Amino acid sequence: QLVSDVPLCTLLSGGLDSSALTTYAVRYYEQNGQDKVHTFSVDYVDNDKHFKAHAFQPNSDAPWIERMTKHLDTVHHPVQFDTPELVDALRDAMLARDLPGMADVDASLLLFCREIKKGATVAISGEAADEIFGGYPWFHREEALNAGTFPWALAAEMRA
């Protein structure tokens, strides 16, 4: 996946999946004499001041992103959004997805991809690893497994 004739990057949240993928990319680039890997991360204005740990997100991504970008010596591009930008992107995100989704997640992903496109054409990510490997909290809760609805619909209060 790292052979490309267009600018390539990795999405780095600081989590296990994106950190492992970025590590593989850095090693591949080093072995092949390529320039440094470009990484992108997303955060929200003032998240560093207002973050509160909960089951859906037990810690802030920022310290882990910083740790990985320093350890791997990547060219890092942090992207931040504020609430009004996310609200303005809700309709476009729903139209792009062609169905209602997880509002803020979809809006931030749309805006994030627009920013990434300014510097890279291909982005490698660890998306879907939680779905494959059971990383979300609702994968381990009996009430979520037997709820008769989408398990993430039960997690709205955790995402507030």
Side-chain angles (χ1 to χ4, degrees), residues 143-155:
E143 72 276 7
L145 294 170
N146 297 317
T149 186
F150 294 113
W152 55 87
L154 302 173

Side-chain angles (χ1 to χ4, degrees), residues 28-100:
Y28 179 85
Y29 272 39
E30 288 172 351
Q31 290 169 354
N32 290 283
Q34 293 177 263
D35 290 336
K36 293 182 181 183
V37 171
H38 285 250
T39 54
F40 285 78
S41 66
V42 65
D43 205 351
Y44 305 95
V45 172
D46 292 332
N47 193 36
D48 57 331
K49 297 175 192 168
H50 304 294
F51 177 81
K52 290 184 179 140
H54 49 78
F56 191 77
Q57 189 171 6
N59 52 50
S60 176
D61 293 341
W64 299 105
I65 293 166
E66 182 178 356
R67 189 175 192 174
M68 290 307 299
T69 57
K70 285 182 180 178
H71 175 71
L72 297 172
D73 194 26
T74 66
V75 178
H76 189 62
H77 307 270
V79 178
Q80 279 197 341
F81 301 115
D82 204 352
T83 303
E85 293 172 274
L86 293 171
V87 170
D88 289 344
L90 286 172
R91 181 173 169 75
D92 286 345
M94 186 181 72
L95 291 172
R97 191 184 253 283
D98 199 26
L99 58 98

